[in-house]
Amino acid sequence: VVRGRADAGERSEYDVARIETETERVHVEMMNAEAEVDDAAGQLATLLGFPGWSPRATGNLDPDQHVPTDIDMLWATAQQRRPSLVAIRQQQGAARGGLFLAQRERMPVPAFSAGTQVTHEVTGTSMFFGFSMPLPLFDRNQGSIAKATAQIRADDLALEAELAEARADIERATTVLAKRREALSALEGRVVQRVPMLRRMSEDAYREGGADILELLDAMRS
């Protein structure tokens, strides 16, 4: 439309320059978007340790309406599968194992010894036996037991904090998802459906001389 009107002498070359500039700007945005896609693919390949791999997303961008928004169901799943919670529970298991080991190590371990001694200058052979056992009068491995107990308590507190943070995160994400679905529905119903009509009206107005290039560009951007 712009080139046709300029060729017919009804518009100046300014309109052509503006629409060409706008077109090139969109091309540059496309190049930047393609670069961001390549960057995201490279970061994913780096995280997974696959050099030379360039993954590409498939499918459309339509929102998945099947994502559950029931907080209790999401919370039940998160408690079993959230990596941070799984890791802390494993640390708890290791800490309890350390406490069990420390408690066992406080028990005295008896030592038995036996042997034979042979003399050469004066021919003779003697045998000896020995038995020893430490008496834990003062050191009953209290330090290791206290350390293991403190570690269990620290892991319990860390789990409580992580559970509270995870629950709050799920509630926040659920609320945000519901509001974004509502905003998307409003945008599609009140704005997106009118865009083709506005574009057509702006092109007709420009073609008939009732609008200038800036109004046409605004409609195209919309």
Side-chain angles (χ1 to χ4, degrees), residues 152-187:
I152 292 177
R153 178 57 179 164
D155 290 338
D156 291 341
L157 293 176
L159 179 61
E160 293 178 4
E162 186 64 28
L163 286 171
E165 180 179 348
R167 176 78 182 195
D169 192 25
I170 289 177
E171 293 176 352
R172 175 197 60 79
T174 303
T175 302
V176 171
L177 176 60
K179 290 188 176 297
R180 286 184 174 173
R181 282 178 173 175
E182 182 180 354
L184 177 60
S185 178
L187 178 66

Side-chain angles (χ1 to χ4, degrees), residues 2-83:
V2 174
R3 289 184 181 276
R5 295 208 62 190
D7 293 341
E10 298 179 5
R11 290 290 181 176
S12 65
E13 290 297 322
Y14 169 77
D15 288 6
V16 178
R18 284 300 302 266
I19 200 68
E20 288 179 348
T21 301
E22 189 75 12
T23 301
E24 292 302 322
R25 185 184 67 82
V26 174
H27 288 167
V28 172
E29 291 181 357
M30 284 292 297
M31 295 171 62
N32 289 333
E34 292 173 354
E36 291 178 359
V37 170
D38 292 337
D39 181 52
Q43 291 182 14
L44 181 58
T46 300
L47 290 174
L48 298 179
F50 295 154
W53 184 47
S54 183
R56 285 294 183 268
T58 59
N60 53 49
L61 295 178
D62 293 336
D64 187 358
Q65 299 297 334
H66 300 289
V67 174
T69 56
D70 183 78
I71 295 179
D72 293 334
M73 183 176 65
L74 293 172
W75 177 236
T77 303
Q79 291 185 83
Q80 301 297 326
R81 299 178 58 183
R82 190 177 176 98

Side-chain angles (χ1 to χ4, degrees), residues 115-206:
T116 302
Q117 184 176 8
V118 180
T119 58
H120 298 282
E121 296 296 334
V122 178
T123 303
T125 303
S126 61
M127 301 180 65
F128 64 89
F129 299 91
F131 171 79
S132 63
M133 175 182 290
L135 300 178
L137 298 179
F138 302 102
D139 184 8
R140 295 186 296 276
N141 208 25
Q142 302 97 319
S144 298
I145 294 176
K147 180 179 178 181
T149 304
Q151 183 63 46
I152 292 177
R153 178 57 179 164
D155 290 338
D156 291 341
L157 293 176
L159 179 61
E160 293 178 4
E162 186 64 28
L163 286 171
E165 180 179 348
R167 176 78 182 195
D169 192 25
I170 289 177
E171 293 176 352
R172 175 197 60 79
T174 303
T175 302
V176 171
L177 176 60
K179 290 188 176 297
R180 286 184 174 173
R181 282 178 173 175
E182 182 180 354
L184 177 60
S185 178
L187 178 66
E188 291 177 341
R190 302 174 186 176
V191 179
V192 175
Q193 293 182 357
R194 301 179 181 179
V195 170
M197 179 184 65
L198 293 175
R199 175 177 176 175
R200 185 176 61 256
M201 293 173 62
S202 64
E203 291 177 353
D204 294 340
Y206 181 83

Side-chain angles (χ1 to χ4, degrees), residues 82-93:
R82 190 177 176 98
S84 57
L85 297 178
V86 174
I88 292 179
R89 289 194 176 96
Q90 291 177 348
Q91 292 177 4
Q92 284 183 315

